[in-house]
Amino acid sequence: LKTSRRWRRWGALGAVAAAVVAAGIVAGSAIEGTTATRAATKYTDFAGGGANSISVETFRPSVIFVNAGDSVEFTNPYEEIHTVTFLAAGQKEPDLIVPKGPATAGPPTLIFNPQVAFPAPAQGSASFDGTSYVNSGILNKGQSFVVSFPKEGTYKFICVIHEGMEGTVQVLRSGVTVPTQAARDFEAKTQLDAALAKGEQAAAAVQTGKSTNAAGKTTWTVATGPSVSQVDVMRFIPTRLQINVGDTVTWNNTTLVPHTVTFTSGAAAPELVLPQPSGSGPPDLVLNPQVLFPANAGPNYDGTGYVNSGFIGAGPEATAGTSFSLTFTKAGTYTYICVLHADQGMAGTIVVGTGVTPPSTGDAGIARSPAGGRLLGLAGFGLAALLALGFLIRTRSASAARA
Ligand SMILES: [Cu+2]
């Protein structure tokens, strides 16, 4: 999750979406007048998506054409959380994470902003005409939110959690042909496949390494991510690393997506959010300080206790900088997680032994991610999808030109 955001130029996928739908609209205009007024339609759109520890932070499609009176059901199909948020005229985007109560000397209690976390309107069905704030609240996997659009117009919407995740609903007058749900679904799947391939490609290009440290031991690096445009790889790379007793591991996160490096030493993983009663309203969604801030954060780890990096990353909510290091003092096999993304499979293993010889060149001594074998297949599939999309655009443009 990310808290800061700014309007960005449309990404490549958004441009593709606009091109595909615009072609459809031109074709549709040609038969305007032949379509009788019809009942309101509910279309489906996807908020995010992902697979194989890669999260895609886009609305699919991101440009949505409907007729006045229609509605859109936004569905979240993946573990990453999202919001679907339409701001009121002139409204500033709300912060995702806010301090609770007055400032105190210690670290603040941070909560998910209730204005973002819970639906608006609080009750009844949501309808947006550009005037009042409409918000899905946090959408978990499988949850959805329906908004109807009674008035013609162009309405921007955002995910407050992911910078750059935004879309537009174009509400056209009744009778103008808009894309079918099947065309939307095809576009959504094509975008997802292309984004997943992009994520795999970025993951495969990550370089990690090692160096001799001041103690004469080896410091090994593990990368989190990577993130590329709206695609976030939720992995530790390498996923499994063999080191010697006395060696140090440094985890680096230079992306805007916060991650944690958390060893529980066999105990249950901590909850990220601790709901606390708050008067008669919804509970306060308190960010667990044991996750948000460093805890027993080194320099040594002997395989016992709770060790947490805090949020590491280059974004504004990082509480612990962009890197975290631990020196392993005891032989053993230790698993760790990112508490934020463990549900997406973000976990790693450090095998601490003896006799691991750091190679003098390359990364041959670094264990490969078990996901490596799947890379080629996925990349191939993504390429096929891209080719199919190119074909679709050419076909649509040709038919639009004919029309
Ligand atoms: Cu993470």
Side-chain angles (χ1 to χ4, degrees):
L1 49 90
K2 303 178 206 172
T3 52
S4 76
R5 73 185 326 281
R6 58 191 179 276
W7 290 114
R8 293 206 317 216
R9 293 157 57 90
W10 291 108
L13 289 178
V16 167
V20 169
V21 181
I25 287 303
V26 173
S29 309
I31 56 167
E32 183 194 344
T34 63
T35 309
T37 306
R38 52 168 183 54
T41 303
K42 184 169 81 177
Y43 296 102
T44 297
D45 199 81
F46 293 100
N52 200 22
S53 303
I54 298 177
S55 180
V56 177
E57 329 298 8
T58 58
F59 292 103
R60 299 178 294 117
S62 60
V63 180
I64 304 169
F65 287 86
V66 302
N67 298 112
D70 288 347
S71 59
V72 179
E73 178 166 25
F74 295 90
T75 296
N76 179 2
Y78 194 58
E79 275 79 3
E80 182 75 6
I81 56 173
H82 300 285
T83 73
V84 178
T85 305
F86 293 83
L87 299 175
Q91 183 186 358
K92 185 178 161 288
E93 181 187 340
D95 288 329
L96 174 62
I97 295 171
V98 295
K100 184 198 174 189
T104 54
T109 298
L110 297 176
I111 62 172
F112 278 116
N113 185 349
Q115 200 189 0
V116 176
F118 299 104
Q123 260 135 33
S125 54
S127 173
F128 189 73
D129 63 5
T131 53
S132 59
Y133 181 65
V134 166
N135 177 47
S136 62
I138 289 174
L139 291 180
N140 291 298
K141 182 181 182 177
Q143 293 183 323
S144 60
F145 180 65
V146 179
V147 188
S148 62
F149 299 93
K151 261 178 68 179
E152 285 173 42
T154 299
Y155 306 115
K156 222 163 194 178
F157 62 98
I158 60 175
C159 167
V160 176
I161 297 164
H162 297 100
E163 179 180 337
M165 182 169 175
E166 57 199 37
T168 304
V169 179
Q170 300 273 5
V171 184
L172 307 172
R173 67 182 176 281
S174 188
V176 176
T177 300
V178 296
T180 62
Q181 185 62 49
R184 295 164 202 252
D185 290 345
F186 178 82
E187 190 184 330
K189 182 178 186 327
T190 304
Q191 284 187 13
L192 179 64
D193 291 343
L196 291 174
K198 191 156 78 169
E200 290 291 2
Q201 200 174 32
V206 168
Q207 303 277 338
T208 55
K210 52 165 183 54
S211 60
T212 302
N213 59 36
K217 302 287 190 177
T218 300
T219 295
W220 306 77
T221 58
V222 173
T224 61
S227 292
V228 48
S229 49
Q230 295 302 111
V231 183
D232 296 323
V233 177
M234 307 298 195
R235 297 179 193 160
F236 295 106
I237 301 174
T239 302
R240 185 181 177 90
L241 178 64
Q242 280 184 274
I243 66 171
N244 287 309
V245 173
D247 285 353
T248 297
V249 178
T250 296
W251 288 264
N252 293 315
N253 180 13
T254 55
T255 76
L256 292 173
V257 182
H259 298 289
T260 73
V261 174
T262 308
F263 290 80
T264 64
S265 304
E271 295 292 338
L272 171 61
V273 174
L274 305 173
Q276 287 176 4
S278 172
S280 57
D284 283 332
L285 302 179
V286 176
L287 287 160
N288 186 349
Q290 283 284 95
V291 178
L292 183 60
F293 299 110
N296 309 317
N300 295 328
Y301 180 67
D302 66 0
T304 63
Y306 177 75
V307 172
N308 180 52
S309 64
F311 281 18
I312 59 170
E317 64 289 277
T319 55
T322 57
S323 72
F324 175 65
S325 293
L326 277 182
T327 298
F328 291 80
T329 59
K330 218 179 138 189
T333 298
Y334 308 115
T335 58
Y336 63 97
I337 58 170
C338 166
V339 177
L340 297 175
H341 306 120
D343 58 355
Q344 295 175 47
M346 190 165 183
T349 303
I350 307 293
V351 181
V352 184
T354 52
V356 177
T357 308
S360 55
T361 57
D363 66 351
I366 297 175
R368 306 296 297 187
S369 153
R374 291 196 292 267
L375 298 189
L376 260 183
L378 263 176
F381 190 62
L383 182 63
L386 273 176
L387 290 173
L389 182 63
F391 175 74
L392 174 79
I393 292 167
R394 283 196 303 277
T395 308
R396 291 274 187 120
S397 303
S399 62
R402 277 197 301 274

